[in-house]
Amino acid sequence: MNTTTSHSNPSGISLPIVAFIGGGNMSSALIGGLLGAGAMAARILVVEPFAEQRQRLQQRFGGVRLLDAPGAELRDAQAVVWAVKPQQFAQAAADCRPHLADALQVSIMAGVRCAAIARKTGAQRLVRTMPNTPALIGQGITGLYASAQASAADRAVADALLAPAGARVWVEREDLLDAVTAVSGSGPAYAFYLAEAMSRAGEELGLTAAQARELALATLAGAAALAQGSSESLATLRANVTSKGGTTAAALAVFDAADMQATIGRALHAAAQRAKELGDALDVD
Ligand SMILES: NC(=O)c1ccc[n+]([C@@H]2O[C@H](COP(=O)([O-])OP(=O)(O)OC[C@H]3O[C@@H](n4cnc5c(N)ncnc54)[C@H](OP(=O)(O)O)[C@@H]3O)[C@@H](O)[C@H]2O)c1
């Protein structure tokens, strides 16, 4: 797979005027990060029909331009970030389309394909992204795919817009976003599942619920940080902490007897297949 990963923050580049369509959780996380990295609030527009949400955005990000409906102001935008629920996209795009200039379209909507975005917006320069929930605290990872018409400068803009969500991994084929969904999009739930099982077992072994939860979560976070800072393969890192005849070996033997690696493999294939099906269902009109 041809990918590039970046971890930098967006302060190195000057952002164009950006319009966020939808001012919910993801938009708020991205806007907060962009402002924190020095972006000018006046260069950010948000179309958000829900008055209470606009008020929240106003309080949190004074100076950002808030619109209750798309209007002529959208023409200023050089990049448009689609951050509504996938089911809301068709209506939102129909409302915005008369006001969209020749802007780069960046989507964070799960499952909505470039073909559908091009059809509904009339644009060709597209970047489709798949963030995950730790994006909400700046510790996510986002898969990104650019249409053939998007330039290197467009990719840089999209990369900077998603930087507040965490690291970015670019993929060279759109269908690989289904694989990204299977690994990192749905991945936080796998980590919670493992932490849940570790915590429960810790309690069975006599720890308090709080102790078991803290030990499980800190172990997953610490192991991930250790692996990220190492050039060793994951298999080597695992072998390094598995002495022959020791405690870790006893646990891993139980995993192997249950064929855990193959089970996890099947689970991720099921997630990728479901991502494809959901994409097909959203790609009908
Ligand atoms: N949250 C995550 O961690 C995460 C991770 C990966 C991908 N995503 C994707 O990111 C997208 C946004 O997620 P989110 O969590 O930010 O959702 P959200 O909090 O529900 O935000 C969507 C916002 O868009 C508004 N909206 C609805 N229709 C609109 C329209 N026609 N024009 C403009 N704004 C409109 C909604 O208003 P109302 O409340 O009035 O409907 C809501 O405030 C989704 O497609 C989701 O699949 C999210």
Side-chain angles (χ1 to χ4, degrees):
M1 196 194 296
N2 186 8
T3 65
T4 50
T5 307
S6 42
H7 297 269
S8 60
N9 69 41
S11 51
I13 84 155
S14 68
L15 283 178
I17 296 176
V18 183
F20 286 83
I21 313 299
N25 294 317
M26 278 298 288
S27 283
S28 300
L30 294 179
I31 292 167
L34 293 169
L35 294 176
M40 280 170 57
R43 294 178 78 78
I44 298 177
L45 279 101
V46 186
V47 180
E48 171 55 61
F50 190 38
E52 249 175 64
Q53 186 58 18
R54 281 201 307 282
Q55 212 174 352
R56 268 196 290 273
L57 291 164
Q58 182 65 49
Q59 279 161 2
R60 204 170 146 196
F61 310 124
V64 164
R65 293 153 68 191
L66 296 166
L67 308 178
D68 60 357
E73 299 91 330
L74 273 188
R75 290 222 160 264
D76 298 342
Q78 294 149 287
V80 174
V81 179
W82 292 93
V84 295
K85 301 236 180 275
Q87 298 75 10
Q88 300 167 328
F89 171 61
Q91 186 57 54
D95 296 344
C96 290
R97 189 168 179 165
H99 310 289
L100 295 177
D102 180 30
L104 166 68
Q105 310 292 316
V106 178
S107 168
I108 62 167
M109 299 176 292
V112 182
R113 298 204 177 118
C114 283
I117 300 168
R119 260 197 326 272
K120 301 281 183 204
T121 63
Q124 297 298 322
R125 289 162 45 231
L126 314 171
V127 173
R128 189 184 146 196
T129 76
M130 181 64 215
N132 62 3
T133 49
L136 298 174
I137 56 161
Q139 293 186 42
I141 185 153
T142 301
L144 303 94
Y145 166 78
S147 68
Q149 294 87 348
S151 65
D154 289 334
R155 282 173 172 247
V157 166
D159 202 82
L161 287 171
L162 268 299
R168 283 83 62 211
V169 174
W170 284 87
V171 297
E172 295 306 320
R173 291 198 332 260
E174 186 172 6
D175 65 327
L176 289 173
L177 289 179
D178 293 338
V180 170
T181 301
V183 177
S184 57
S186 299
Y190 317 152
F192 299 144
Y193 189 84
L194 184 56
E196 200 185 329
M198 289 168 69
S199 299
R200 190 174 307 136
E203 283 185 68
E204 285 164 10
L205 291 164
L207 298 168
T208 66
Q211 287 169 333
R213 178 188 160 107
E214 189 178 353
L215 288 164
L217 291 177
T219 299
L220 291 178
L226 185 69
Q228 277 175 328
S230 167
S231 56
E232 300 280 15
S233 72
L234 294 173
T236 301
L237 288 169
R238 174 167 54 80
N240 287 349
V241 292
T242 313
S243 325
K244 208 164 170 225
T247 58
T248 310
L252 290 175
V254 176
F255 285 155
D256 285 344
D259 214 359
M260 281 293 286
Q261 294 253 352
T263 303
I264 292 168
R266 282 198 303 280
L268 267 72
H269 281 273
Q273 176 59 28
R274 188 70 190 128
K276 183 180 177 311
E277 289 164 5
L278 291 172
D280 288 342
L282 283 167
D283 206 8
V284 284
D285 57 319

